[in-house]
Amino acid sequence: MQFPRLFSSITINGMTLKNRAVMPPMGTGYGNTDSTVSDRLVAYLSRRAQGGAGLIITEVCAVDPRGKGFPNEIGIWSDAFISGLARIPDALHHFGAKVALQLHHAGRETFEDATGAIPEAPSAIPSVILGQPCESMSLERIAQIIEAFAKAAGRAKAAGFDAVELHGAHGYLLNQFLSPFSNQRDDKYGGSDENRMRFVLEIIAAVRKEVGKDFPVWIRVSADELVRGGYDLSFMQKFAPMMVAAGVDAIHCSVGIYSTPGGLSVASMDTESGFNLFRARALKDVVSVPVIGVGRINNPEVADQAIARGDADLISFGRQHLTDPDFINKAYNGDLDDIRWCTACNQGCIERLSFEMKSIACSFNPECGNEYKGQHPKVDHAKRVWVIGAGPAGLSAAMAASARGHEVEIFEKEEKPGGQLLSASRPPHKSAFRDWVTWSLRQLKKSSVPVHCQHMISKEEIKQHMPEAVILACGAYPVTPSISGLDSEIVVDARDVLTGKVNLKSPAVVLGAGYVGMETADYLLSKGIAVTVLEMQAFPPVGKLTAHGYWLHKRIKTAGGRLLFGAQVTGILTGDVRYCQENTERMESAAMIVTAMGAKSDNSLEEALKNLTIPYKIVGDAKSPRRILEAIHEGHKAGEKI
Ligand SMILES: Cc1cc2nc3c(=O)[nH]c(=O)nc-3n(C[C@H](O)[C@H](O)[C@H](O)COP(=O)(O)OP(=O)(O)OC[C@H]3O[C@@H](n4cnc5c(N)ncnc54)[C@H](O)[C@@H]3O)c2cc1C
Ligand SMILES: Cc1cc2nc3c(=O)[nH]c(=O)nc-3n(C[C@H](O)[C@H](O)[C@H](O)COP(=O)(O)O)c2cc1C
Ligand code: SF4
């Protein structure tokens, strides 16, 4: 047993867990629009429970319709919800997991389309991020919500959940009451620390009274809000023992709120694994109940060590459960090489939920959220399938087609498989993107799918071999607009810079401030190269609202990189980049000019396939240049259906 601490059992108020691995709450958007539990949600959660975690905490579940954070958040504000919710513990207990329901009220961090009314909050201060107007809660309304939490906990118990978690973190209603940042009341619920703590303590007491002393109840907190004017860790150290005295059996120690710079509640790849454990430790120092640590932990080794050091008693693995639902069992069995790692890219999960208003997915796991559809059966007739291109789309397609029983071969013109992931994994903090390639190749090897590298497929070769089906996953190649001087020998492509194909020279001018340009600038600065980025658009194409965008801007600025917007490049002449900004001609000298100005799909083989009447599918960037998510998901679907 490699991780003895992680795989030891623990008991929380009579609830014994088989191990200390927790799946923390993650809103999915899989619930029905009437806030009832869907087949999709049950299938998704069951798949995670099957993967081995001792404790699964469901996503947010609204105690009041006005507390919903997104339109299809599940709810528990009436007895009518009990039977539907009961499907969750019924299904998950089968796998030996204990199940807690997270009770939630979003307060001001929501919008009218979700709540059906103006959001309510301790004070009428709109959310900094969402900007929606909100109403201050009356004393009567506060009493109703305290009651709603208590009744909801009773219903969760009746539905067969093993425990409830109160959502006191991430800037939602309970957190809003605690914080001088969002609570500026002048009655008994605002002002002093003691007054701001009152609402949460009254909820804990009411919940405890409702469920009795033997039912596990705990709270999730943001140990530090990390915003100017908010509370900090010392406040939470003072408050934690008071919550225990009021009746909680454990504390789940998260961090940050919506306005925290750099999105630390769901920390991106830019943040160190286990960065928040010291706060869990600080809470453990002041309470005797178990503390659950969380924050960018996907490695069982990090978790095991954290428990060994006494930083936390249990460890939550959030997004890792989306990327690989089986990873706890794999860790238990020592199959670490088989784990598909979460990259903390946030693109498929939290950013889809928060910014795109879509249900969650995982960029790297096309099956996440599709569990309810079941597996495709093996085919009766195995086809000879050619996959052209070994980028994420091609590798994903090959895995899916081979799983259905087809005879698959992959062809890649470059020396190594991986496509653009070979360059995408080179900027600082992005090496995990490469791990997915390693993982895929391992899966393909296990299925005996050959990957032929340095083998460029031509139409002649297709005609000669006539495969029965083809998946075109040729990706995209970089393009540049017609600017005079771009053929100069000091002009290089960002991908070639990142993969080490060119010698770096300083100073560098990067043309284009999309993700590729920004990450290349970040990479060059990390190598000590002076960088100026010129971007035609007046505003940064990579915003600071996403966690990765925030950290990219911060690192580039800190390292002395210059970002110039509204800068239209007009020509390159003997090492000088000429550009027009604010109607003025300007110039920037460069020893190296790096282009990152977009890409164009490579679907040059399509015509031949049409003429030869070979069934084919075009996937990923070859269809249109987009992201890893689209490449992996489209590849998977094509492979399943071919
Ligand atoms: C620096 C950089 C950073 C990026 N960062 C991110 C990110 O953080 N998140 C994100 O979502 N996306 C990111 N992307 C984009 C992402 O990498 C692409 O969207 C994704 O790789 C597309 O996958 P694909 O398989 O469709 O194509 P590709 O990755 O381009 O793979 C296509 C493969 O086909 C091969 N090929 C082409 N023609 C032939 C032929 N005739 N015969 C044999 N082989 C052939 C190519 O050599 C290539 O290996 C980044 C891209 C770059 C360049
Ligand atoms: C898609 C998504 C939805 C989330 N929804 C919730 C939620 O409903 N309740 C909550 O307390 N935390 C929520 N979180 C935060 C996670 O529980 C967890 O604290 C966070 O992802 C950090 O853990 P990780 O680094 O292991 O992913 C969510 C995170 C993600 C990625
Ligand atoms: S989308 Fe990215 S961050 Fe989210 S679970 Fe998947 S790999 Fe992790």
Side-chain angles (χ1 to χ4, degrees), residues 206-447:
V207 165
R208 178 54 72 206
K209 192 166 167 219
E210 181 77 20
V211 295
K213 69 175 180 19
D214 297 332
F215 187 73
V217 174
W218 63 85
I219 187 159
R220 186 168 222 210
V221 294
S222 287
D224 193 331
E225 290 190 291
L226 296 171
V227 288
R228 214 172 286 146
Y231 66 74
D232 61 12
L233 183 58
S234 65
F235 168 87
M236 194 47 74
Q237 280 189 301
K238 184 167 130 189
F239 188 43
M242 295 164 75
M243 292 190 285
V244 174
V248 297
D249 300 310
I251 295 180
H252 196 167
C253 176
S254 189
V255 68
I257 61 172
Y258 273 48
S259 322
T260 304
L264 291 179
S265 302
V266 187
S268 62
M269 56 185 109
D270 309 271
T271 307
E272 286 300 301
S273 176
F275 74 98
N276 190 40
L277 281 168
F278 80 93
R279 298 190 184 90
R281 176 65 197 227
L283 298 191
K284 258 185 81 63
D285 286 346
V286 293
V287 298
S288 53
V289 296
V291 172
I292 310 172
V294 67
R296 185 91 177 78
I297 305 170
N298 54 358
N299 190 329
E301 178 71 38
V302 172
D304 197 66
Q305 291 297 325
I307 298 170
R309 280 193 309 271
D311 288 353
D313 302 285
L314 302 99
I315 297 292
S316 273
F317 302 89
R319 289 162 290 175
Q320 183 58 45
H321 266 102
L322 305 180
T323 316
D324 188 342
D326 290 319
F327 85 102
I328 294 293
N329 282 338
K330 288 177 184 171
Y332 182 81
N333 295 324
D335 293 336
L336 296 189
D337 288 346
D338 229 18
I339 294 178
R340 176 170 41 187
W341 297 107
C342 164
T343 60
C345 69
N346 281 353
Q347 289 172 336
C349 53
I350 194 70
E351 288 177 11
R352 257 170 79 97
L353 190 70
S354 311
F355 301 137
E356 298 174 36
M357 298 296 152
K358 290 184 181 159
S359 58
I360 64 162
C362 170
S363 300
F364 291 87
N365 175 10
E367 285 169 348
C368 177
N370 287 322
E371 296 81 4
Y372 70 111
K373 294 180 183 164
Q375 294 284 333
H376 284 274
K378 290 261 183 204
V379 289
D380 296 331
H381 165 72
K383 290 184 201 157
R384 245 175 352 101
V385 178
W386 275 19
V387 176
I388 307 179
L395 293 173
S396 172
M399 283 185 278
S402 150
R404 292 219 63 195
H406 293 298
E407 275 173 39
V408 184
E409 283 181 86
I410 311 181
F411 299 91
E412 168 55 52
K413 68 177 175 173
E414 298 295 334
E415 203 182 319
K416 288 183 187 159
Q420 292 171 63
L421 288 194
L422 298 182
S423 47
S425 57
R426 298 281 296 170
H429 304 280
K430 289 194 76 185
S431 62
F433 283 59
R434 183 70 207 247
D435 296 341
W436 182 83
V437 179
T438 310
W439 175 86
S440 307
L441 293 174
R442 193 179 151 86
Q443 306 310 309
L444 290 166
K445 195 169 177 196
K446 281 202 259 173
S447 322

Side-chain angles (χ1 to χ4, degrees), residues 11 20 59 84 189 391 513 546 582:
T11 300
R20 293 163 184 241
E59 66 191 275
Y189 290 103
T546 66
E582 292 164 342

Side-chain angles (χ1 to χ4, degrees), residues 509-527:
V509 172
V510 176
L511 307 184
Y515 271 108
V516 174
M518 291 287 280
E519 289 185 350
T520 308
D522 192 18
Y523 172 82
L524 290 170
L525 288 161
S526 75
K527 303 281 177 203

Side-chain angles (χ1 to χ4, degrees), residues 122-172:
S123 304
I125 310 168
S127 153
V128 178
I129 303 294
L130 302 176
Q132 293 264 319
C134 62
E135 270 176 14
S136 169
M137 290 164 72
S138 65
L139 289 178
E140 192 190 1
R141 184 64 184 153
I142 288 175
Q144 277 172 13
I145 294 300
I146 293 170
E147 170 84 358
F149 269 95
K151 289 274 178 257
R155 290 184 191 114
K157 187 178 175 188
F161 286 92
D162 301 291
V164 290
E165 173 174 283
L166 307 174
H167 198 340
H170 304 162
Y172 292 119

Side-chain angles (χ1 to χ4, degrees), residues 540-601:
V542 172
K544 294 183 195 171
L545 261 189
T546 66
H548 184 50
Y550 170 86
W551 291 111
L552 263 178
H553 277 276
K554 191 170 167 81
R555 277 199 300 273
I556 290 173
K557 192 173 166 200
T558 309
R562 289 161 66 226
L563 299 175
L564 306 182
F565 297 101
Q568 171 105 41
V569 178
T570 51
I572 290 159
L573 198 65
T574 56
D576 293 333
V577 183
R578 287 150 201 265
Y579 64 98
C580 180
Q581 196 186 31
E582 292 164 342
N583 295 322
T584 310
E585 290 294 330
R586 299 176 202 259
M587 211 178 68
E588 195 67 39
S589 293
M592 177 168 73
I593 298 167
V594 184
T595 55
M597 300 165 102
K600 191 170 184 316
S601 294

